[in-house]
Amino acid sequence: MNDAAPSTQPETFYLKDYAPFGFVVESVELTFRLAPETTRVLSKIRFAPNPDAPDRHFFLHGEKLKLISSRINGEAVTPVLTDTGLTCDVPDQPFTWEAEVEINPQANTALEGLYMSNGMYCTQCEAEGFRKITYYPDRPDVMSTFSVRIEGEEKVMLSNGNPGDRGAGYAEWHDPWPKPAYLFALVAGDLINHPDRFTTGSGKDVELNIWVRPGDEDKCAFGMEALKKSMTWDEEVYGREYDLDVFNIVAVDDFNMGAMENKGLNIFNSSCVLASPETSTDANFERIEAIIAHEYFHNWTGNRITCRDWFQLCLKEGLTVYRDAQFTADMRSAPVKRIEDAIDLRARQFPEDNGPLAHPVRPEAFQEINNFYTATVYEKGAEVIGMLKRLVGDEAYYTALDLYFERHDGQACTIEDWIKVFEDSTGRDLAQFKNWYSQAGTPRLTVQDSYEGGTYTLTFRQTTPPTPGQDHKDPKVIPIAMGLLNPNGDEVVPTTVLEMTQAEQSFRFEGLSARPIPSILRDFSAPVILTRETSAEERAFLLAHDTDPFNRWEAGRELAKASRIAMVTEGASPDAQYLDALQSLVRDDALDPAFRALVLSPPSESEIAQALADQGVTPDPDAIHDAAETFAQTLAQNLADSLPRLFAATKVEGPYKPDARDAGLRALNGRILALLTRLDGAEAAAKQFETADNMTVQNTALACLLKAEKGEAQSKAFYEQWQDDRLVMDKWFALQVATARPERAPGVAEALTRHPLFTIKNPNRFRAVMGALSMNHAGFHQADGSGYRLLADQLIALDPLNPQTTARMCTAFQTWKRYDADRQEKILTELKRIKAVDGLSRDTNEMVSRILDA
């Protein structure tokens, strides 16, 4: 990692250039004297020469800091300052560095470092925010213990670790576990705690708190239960106990991400921790449960063992995403969770892999690390962990994890360290498996089969298309879970994992009495695109008979895509065979309601656009939207006799519970209501809105009403009821855009940006409007370019305030090359307009440049 000050051009950092910092940080003492515009930060840091470092150049990162004084061993020094840090001559022996700086939290709209959120002090230091707090070697391989003193008038003052001395106007904290600066946290403000306790397996008593603003204390109970479930699960499944005396969570309104795993003091976006039946949907509850688990699991996979450099980000994030997916699968429905993860991966990560923003799970280079908090690093990184577990087996996986924790506790590690643990514990050579970490792009897996004399042969071929900077791709190790079914539906070969290691490879199954029907890539055993020429009849057979829930759903998904594509390209009617299969499934009360809801959820319009592009067809967003509407209307009409009964049968009676059973029923009920609304003039939706006693059914009813353009009165009533609840109002803003007819969507979104409750400075509110527009496929891609212009206008306005959110929202443009020439030209015009902005942030400049380079 190169710590030299960058030139005027954006500096590119390369994995190959990594070198350890020249000094070890033995201890850190920080004092914060809080003031909204003039906070003083006093640091006292004990350095010692690092014998493993080839260079002893003393460079401390620092940005937007006013240096008041600096000393080495008590003597004043005058360092050389730049916009990115300072350098100074230092002794060639252990020494103490002291500095006092002044910062302005009130002016920090980027929400990195120390900033103000509605009068509350808050920090966000991952990835490189600590350098905006004080001068420090702000890199993840520099780990140290931290002692913190906070001085101010705030009611509550929190930091990492265990509490120490406190009194009027001050509080002290000490974290005994060495950590990098990105895990530092501080919160101070008028907060109320929701307290609880947890006893670990070894008998350690841990104080738990969720800290919120006054008025939100009644929305913490679910989050606290989720935390305790996570602590129990991590002990039982991974053998990991919590290691401090207290665990604090704080809900913050203004936060760029979902949450942050700072050691002992997790800071959460309010939307990811506050929940009540009246204000939160089932999806909110499930997301809160998963995110609380994710951040807690980071205590070991991210905090106790962290990443050596930011190129290794997937080491902590991919593993922790996989762990939180396991947790959700255990708490709820494993098949439904797997299907939802596949839907999310295909919607977000596959387009990333297939476009100008493609990068390996472990990137080789970056200009701005904030731009690599991506679906590839997180979600594909988790898929890589899942494949590794599938290849070595459950027992070997947990044995390897035990060795990982034992060998690397307290260290900053690499992917090589991770792979070596598995090689040492299993005896396997995993050199080829590392291709999943080093190669970008989604592998394409094609299959051909033959049957002769009782022997069935499957022949697989794998290719990975070129991606930016990577033209040639070596074969990967692909675990292919599969089974074989007889024509009568019986399973003749149960789930078996085939290990593909070559570009082309055949597998034979002997002793079969009839040609079987294959069920390939069960449980979505690898993140690949599977292509096999098959008939609609075979897909319908698998939809009806497959014993693997994922592949049963997948068969229906493929039928839906094939029907939709034929409607767009050939003007065909909705496929009758698929409609019949859907009717049978939705009426089958023996099936999990959540599974039935997923089967009834159509492929997104963006997914159909990509499927058309993969076939060499330029997608027409308007035609895709029209086909979606025609299909939904036809399905509703075919189910007309059953919909009222199904709607009544899937209603949940009794007090609201956010558990898997009731949430699944409400999901299915919502899908049925959407179909029923197409036939009954929105009568059922209007009645449900009036009688709703929880946000899930109220929000669903309002969405149906707005979609039917009959919800003006209900939308006004919803607004009047919830205008003082910021999180519910995010839902209201998003619904206006998401349900708007495509030709109206850009205008609706533009009007909302002028609404009194819209603020560009709050990431949640900005994403509610502009994110909803980008996901209204035909609306965003209006032929006149109005959707593109509006998003570009908003990104240009946001960039000087919040570069992180701006850069991430630029991904709405990443699929531009799949559309027609006129739309491409309009998108390019807007991207070039953003690129030409004077003073454009490094974050946004890098993202726009990569998209333009496609």
Side-chain angles (χ1 to χ4, degrees):
M1 184 173 292
N2 185 352
D3 285 326
S7 67
T8 55
Q9 295 298 318
E11 183 177 10
T12 299
F13 298 92
Y14 296 94
L15 171 61
K16 62 182 177 61
D17 293 338
Y18 171 81
F21 184 53
F23 301 85
V24 174
V25 177
E26 297 178 336
S27 64
V28 179
E29 297 177 29
L30 300 173
T31 297
F32 288 81
R33 294 172 180 163
L34 299 177
E37 298 179 352
T38 55
T39 289
R40 291 290 178 98
V41 183
L42 289 73
S43 60
K44 185 176 183 180
I45 306 168
R46 183 69 176 168
F47 287 99
N50 183 355
D52 297 326
D55 179 13
R56 296 279 173 77
H57 176 65
F58 186 74
F59 174 85
L60 301 183
H61 297 99
E63 295 180 9
K64 300 182 179 180
L65 306 175
K66 179 181 178 182
L67 181 63
I68 306 301
S69 65
S70 54
R71 296 184 297 276
I72 292 178
N73 293 333
E75 297 293 327
V77 294
T78 305
V80 177
L81 302 179
T82 71
D83 289 341
T84 61
L86 62 76
T87 58
C88 191
D89 293 331
V90 297
D92 191 21
Q93 60 186 4
F95 64 93
T96 299
W97 163 270
E98 294 177 86
E100 181 175 356
V101 302
E102 183 176 287
I103 56 178
N104 185 344
Q106 188 70 61
N108 185 357
T109 60
L111 312 184
E112 289 182 288
L114 179 67
Y115 64 92
M116 303 292 290
S117 173
N118 295 327
M120 179 170 70
Y121 293 90
C122 180
T123 58
Q124 171 54 34
C125 294
E126 188 176 358
E128 296 175 340
F130 193 78
R131 63 191 61 185
K132 296 181 179 180
I133 293 175
T134 193
Y135 289 101
Y136 193 78
D138 189 8
R139 40 189 289 167
D141 59 341
V142 176
M143 303 174 70
S144 183
T145 58
F146 280 65
S147 296
V148 177
R149 178 182 172 93
I150 309 169
E151 300 175 359
E153 300 177 357
E154 283 62 36
K155 178 181 176 182
V156 175
M157 294 181 282
L158 308 170
S159 192
N160 307 89
N162 295 320
D165 189 23
R166 65 187 59 209
Y170 75 94
E172 295 180 351
W173 293 82
H174 176 66
D175 187 354
W177 299 101
K179 66 172 178 284
Y182 83 83
L183 289 171
F184 173 79
L186 180 151
V187 173
D190 182 13
L191 298 169
I192 297 176
N193 67 321
H194 178 95
D196 210 325
R197 307 198 78 82
F198 182 84
T199 303
T200 69
S202 64
K204 182 182 181 68
D205 181 51
V206 181
E207 175 188 341
L208 309 177
N209 294 292
I210 297 179
W211 297 91
V212 297
R213 297 182 185 281
D216 286 335
E217 56 269 30
D218 61 338
K219 299 177 182 177
C220 301
F222 180 80
M224 183 61 76
E225 289 306 308
L227 173 59
K228 292 191 292 184
K229 286 179 182 178
S230 303
M231 298 175 81
T232 300
W233 186 90
D234 211 17
E235 289 186 7
E236 293 176 348
V237 178
Y238 280 86
R240 300 297 102 195
E241 283 195 10
Y242 187 60
D243 53 8
L244 290 169
D245 299 334
V246 61
F247 188 91
N248 287 314
I249 289 174
V250 181
V252 179
D253 290 345
D254 301 293
F255 205 68
N256 282 332
M257 297 183 286
M260 179 60 208
E261 71 267 18
N262 318 295
K263 184 73 177 179
L265 177 56
N266 285 189
I267 299 178
F268 273 65
N269 187 312
S270 297
S271 66
C272 298
V273 68
L274 301 180
S276 71
E278 298 78 20
T279 61
S280 307
T281 64
D282 289 328
N284 295 146
F285 277 100
E286 182 174 345
R287 182 168 182 254
I288 287 167
E289 183 179 68
I291 292 177
I292 285 177
H294 179 94
E295 305 308 334
Y296 175 75
F297 297 155
H298 263 313
N299 188 59
W300 277 91
T301 51
N303 296 3
R304 288 283 287 262
I305 304 177
T306 192
C307 45
R308 185 196 71 180
D309 51 71
W310 290 121
F311 298 100
Q312 320 294 331
L313 180 60
C314 61
L315 179 65
K316 75 182 185 78
E317 294 301 348
L319 177 55
T320 306
V321 169
Y322 180 73
R323 278 162 34 84
D324 82 53
Q326 286 182 288
F327 171 78
T328 298
D330 286 350
M331 295 299 107
R332 294 175 180 267
S333 164
V336 169
K337 172 61 176 169
R338 192 67 190 122
I339 293 168
E340 290 174 342
D341 284 349
I343 292 172
D344 181 66
L345 192 79
R346 289 168 173 173
R348 299 195 302 116
Q349 198 280 321
F350 278 18
E352 193 168 87
D353 250 354
N354 196 45
L357 300 180
H359 60 275
V361 172
R362 180 172 69 177
E364 298 289 329
F366 64 78
Q367 292 179 7
E368 174 50 65
I369 184 55
N370 288 324
N371 290 337
F372 281 90
Y373 282 74
T374 63
T376 297
V377 168
Y378 279 65
E379 278 70 34
K380 188 175 181 180
E383 293 294 325
V384 174
I385 303 296
M387 285 189 291
L388 185 56
K389 182 172 180 284
R390 197 180 296 273
L391 288 167
V392 304
D394 290 356
E395 183 177 351
Y397 170 80
Y398 288 109
T399 299
L401 264 292
D402 287 341
L403 178 60
Y404 178 65
F405 295 127
E406 176 186 344
R407 180 181 289 179
H408 295 296
D409 186 15
Q411 296 179 13
C413 296
T414 65
I415 293 302
E416 284 73 21
D417 296 323
W418 166 255
I419 294 295
K420 185 70 163 54
V421 162
F422 277 84
E423 291 182 327
D424 290 349
S425 63
T426 66
R428 289 182 58 124
D429 181 353
L430 295 172
Q432 185 183 6
F433 185 79
K434 281 180 62 180
N435 288 339
W436 281 104
Y437 285 104
S438 60
Q439 294 180 6
T442 303
R444 269 63 169 173
L445 195 63
T446 59
V447 191
Q448 291 182 327
D449 62 344
S450 63
Y451 177 74
E452 184 176 354
T455 298
Y456 181 69
T457 303
L458 284 169
T459 299
F460 295 90
R461 295 178 180 84
Q462 61 162 303
T463 59
T464 304
T467 52
Q470 290 186 338
D471 293 330
H472 173 72
K473 309 292 174 72
D474 293 325
K476 295 181 173 69
V477 181
I478 302 178
I480 306 169
M482 54 82 60
L484 298 177
L485 285 76
N486 260 346
N488 65 0
D490 293 338
E491 191 169 69
V492 292
V493 173
T495 300
T496 303
V497 178
L498 310 177
E499 190 170 327
M500 185 179 186
T501 59
Q502 302 168 27
E504 180 175 328
Q505 202 165 345
S506 295
F507 300 89
R508 292 176 176 82
F509 303 86
E510 299 178 343
L512 301 174
S513 59
R515 184 186 185 101
I517 292 89
S519 170
I520 303 172
L521 211 66
R522 284 184 161 182
D523 202 40
F524 197 50
S525 59
V528 302
I529 295 174
L530 177 67
T531 302
R532 174 174 172 264
E533 290 188 11
T534 186
S535 65
E537 289 75 18
E538 182 173 310
R539 289 171 179 155
F541 173 88
L542 291 172
L543 179 59
H545 299 289
D546 203 330
T547 56
D548 179 69
F550 177 85
N551 269 10
R552 191 174 187 184
W553 169 83
E554 180 82 309
R557 193 77 163 188
E558 289 302 310
L559 279 170
K561 286 166 62 177
S563 175
R564 197 72 56 79
I565 288 170
M567 293 172 69
V568 172
T569 59
E570 304 168 17
S573 299
D575 183 76
Q577 191 171 24
Y578 177 53
L579 288 169
D580 290 343
L582 278 184
Q583 291 179 64
S584 296
L585 280 169
V586 76
R587 291 167 177 154
D588 188 350
D589 293 337
L591 290 175
D592 180 357
F595 177 81
R596 284 191 279 168
L598 284 171
V599 172
L600 275 177
S601 301
S604 71
E605 294 177 26
S606 180
E607 186 176 349
I608 299 301
Q610 187 58 53
L612 286 165
D614 289 341
Q615 296 182 11
V617 178
T618 300
D620 179 344
D622 295 323
I624 293 171
H625 177 75
D626 290 344
E629 289 296 301
T630 298
F631 188 91
Q633 187 68 30
T634 304
L635 177 60
Q637 290 168 349
N638 282 21
L639 284 168
D641 293 342
S642 302
L643 288 176
R645 179 190 66 80
L646 288 169
F647 182 62
T650 54
K651 281 190 174 180
V652 180
E653 303 295 339
Y656 176 88
K657 296 193 295 291
D659 58 21
R661 176 194 171 275
D662 284 8
L665 278 170
R666 281 188 291 268
L668 179 57
N669 183 264
R671 291 300 311 149
I672 293 168
L673 179 61
L675 294 171
L676 185 59
T677 302
R678 292 177 174 273
L679 304 178
D680 73 346
E683 181 179 336
K687 183 176 180 181
Q688 176 167 299
F689 183 87
E690 293 302 321
T691 60
D693 62 355
N694 63 77
M695 180 52 64
T696 302
V697 298
Q698 187 182 26
N699 195 67
T700 299
L702 181 58
C704 290
L705 288 160
L706 289 172
K707 178 77 174 174
E709 298 186 308
K710 294 179 178 292
E712 183 176 351
Q714 289 85 354
S715 180
K716 182 179 179 181
F718 188 97
Y719 179 89
E720 291 175 349
Q721 180 182 2
W722 297 114
Q723 60 184 309
D724 295 326
D725 190 302
R726 57 205 180 279
L727 297 180
V728 178
M729 288 311 298
D730 288 336
K731 296 177 175 62
W732 181 85
F733 273 91
L735 272 180
Q736 309 305 306
V737 184
T739 60
R741 290 202 317 269
E743 64 272 19
R744 294 186 60 246
V748 170
E750 194 279 330
L752 288 172
T753 65
R754 292 180 277 108
H755 191 282
L757 293 185
F758 179 83
T759 170
I760 200 171
K761 293 183 179 180
N762 180 267
N764 290 351
R765 190 58 47 87
F766 185 85
R767 287 188 289 256
V769 176
M770 302 315 300
L773 175 62
S774 68
M775 289 186 286
N776 186 324
H777 184 256
F780 181 57
H781 292 286
Q782 280 293 286
D784 64 0
S786 54
Y788 310 145
R789 284 194 300 275
L790 176 60
L791 179 58
D793 287 343
Q794 290 295 308
L795 294 178
I796 289 169
L798 180 63
D799 185 67
L801 303 173
N802 190 328
Q804 276 193 39
T805 298
T806 306
R808 288 171 186 165
M809 286 297 299
C810 286
T811 58
F813 292 118
Q814 69 178 325
T815 58
W816 67 275
K817 290 200 74 174
R818 71 187 183 194
Y819 297 100
D820 59 83
D822 195 40
R823 285 184 170 89
Q824 286 190 28
E825 185 60 35
K826 287 181 170 61
I827 294 174
L828 282 174
T829 297
E830 299 309 325
L831 287 169
K832 291 175 181 178
R833 185 160 67 92
I834 297 171
K835 173 79 172 173
V837 170
D838 186 38
L840 191 69
S841 71
R842 186 174 65 182
D843 308 59
T844 303
N845 181 71
E846 181 185 20
M847 292 295 278
V848 172
S849 297
R850 289 168 64 197
I851 295 171
L852 282 169
D853 287 343

